[in-house]
Amino acid sequence: MTDLSIADRHYLMDHIYLIEGVQRNLLKAVKVNLAQFGNVVPHLHWHVIPRFSWDLRYPNSFWSDDMRERDDAYLAKLAELYKMVPEYHAALLDAFIKHSIGDKAVECGCH
């Protein structure tokens, strides 16, 4: 992140927080895990992971061991979430479009 200019860091974080907001509002995530990585090959990528009280590892890290069994109730909730994928993608696209209408892309020189 420190390799980026301050403007580009702000631009990137605006978008990460935008994704987090969509996950919290639309998916009703109780919290969102944010993680950045750039291991081995020089690069930067982010994980923006919605968390739910019913997920197998909650409240521990997404990468922790399961704390609960995969039962029918869990599978049903997961299936409901998967059904929301098209709506989630549409909400992300809408949020990104509304965000980019402003002058932010021009201000940071990212486009």
Side-chain angles (χ1 to χ4, degrees):
M1 291 289 293
T2 56
D3 288 340
L4 299 175
S5 70
I6 291 173
D8 286 348
R9 271 185 260 161
H10 287 220
Y11 184 79
L12 173 63
M13 292 310 298
D14 280 350
H15 286 80
I16 289 168
Y17 296 142
L18 186 121
I19 295 166
E20 177 185 7
V22 170
Q23 290 180 352
R24 293 189 76 160
N25 293 326
L26 179 68
L27 304 179
K28 305 301 182 211
V30 294
K31 69 179 192 173
V32 176
N33 291 155
L34 301 177
Q36 73 175 30
F37 295 96
N39 303 338
V40 186
V41 177
H43 75 290
L44 175 67
H45 74 267
W46 278 83
H47 294 262
V48 185
I49 305 168
R51 300 300 306 279
F52 306 93
S53 59
W54 51 264
D55 78 44
L56 299 180
R57 299 172 182 113
Y58 185 85
N60 291 343
S61 161
F62 180 81
W63 292 278
S64 300
D65 292 332
D66 290 353
M67 297 177 59
R68 291 178 268 298
E69 296 294 320
R70 293 172 191 253
D71 59 12
D72 289 340
Y74 167 77
L75 294 174
K77 288 178 181 178
L78 197 58
E80 288 175 27
L81 199 58
Y82 280 137
K83 288 179 189 175
M84 295 182 72
V85 168
E87 184 180 359
Y88 172 63
H89 287 169
L92 282 175
L93 180 60
D94 185 57
F96 277 108
I97 289 170
K98 285 179 181 172
H99 183 72
S100 68
I101 288 173
D103 293 330
K104 293 186 184 303
V106 175
E107 288 174 10
C108 78
C110 297
H111 292 268

